[in-house]
Amino acid sequence: MTQAWVVLTRADGREVASPTEAQLATALAEVYDGAAPADDDGAASTVLRFGYDDGLMYEVEVAGGGAIRFGEWSDRDCEIALAAPRRMLALGRDEALQLWKWLALRQVAKIRSQPWLPD
């Protein structure tokens, strides 16, 4: 049987399995408020991933300033991209949280239907 999973990777690298809405909001607040540690490029980001043990994986990465990246992969190891990454710029915190909530609820079609910028 295929098991679904959801994992939040916070800006500091800690992973949270099956995060609550409060944990998602806290991770976004750290990035949007500039409290999260920055990476080598000077930008902090946090990622929510949803997938299946034996197949597809989706991820929504949120960086400081509201830059969003949505990726679709053939598996957890990101071996084959199923579509070019999609991006949004300057998305508000509430809108980013909505994308994450849809992802956690397996509503990938709603995420795909958003106004993504061409890559």
Side-chain angles (χ1 to χ4, degrees):
M1 180 175 174
T2 299
Q3 290 289 90
W5 49 266
V6 176
V7 174
L8 169 66
T9 303
R10 297 171 54 119
D12 62 8
R14 290 182 293 156
E15 291 191 346
V16 180
S18 302
T20 65
E21 187 173 333
Q23 289 171 315
L24 296 177
T26 298
L28 287 174
E30 290 173 354
V31 170
Y32 275 85
D33 296 342
D39 62 14
D40 294 338
D41 296 331
S45 69
T46 183
V47 182
L48 185 69
R49 291 180 178 89
F50 155 68
Y52 298 96
D53 285 342
D54 63 351
L56 304 173
M57 182 187 76
Y58 307 92
E59 62 182 3
V60 175
E61 179 179 12
V62 180
I68 309 288
R69 187 184 57 77
F70 172 57
E72 301 182 60
W73 300 93
S74 63
D75 61 21
R76 195 175 202 161
D77 295 327
C78 303
E79 290 182 10
I80 300 171
L82 299 177
R86 297 171 186 121
R87 301 185 190 289
M88 287 186 202
L89 302 175
L91 197 67
R93 186 184 313 186
D94 291 339
E95 292 84 7
L97 180 59
Q98 182 61 64
L99 289 174
W100 274 6
K101 287 166 42 174
W102 285 335
L103 189 62
L105 293 171
R106 305 176 193 179
Q107 296 178 347
V108 176
K110 286 185 179 180
I111 297 169
R112 286 184 186 129
S113 71
Q114 298 306 299
W116 298 99
L117 298 172
D119 197 33

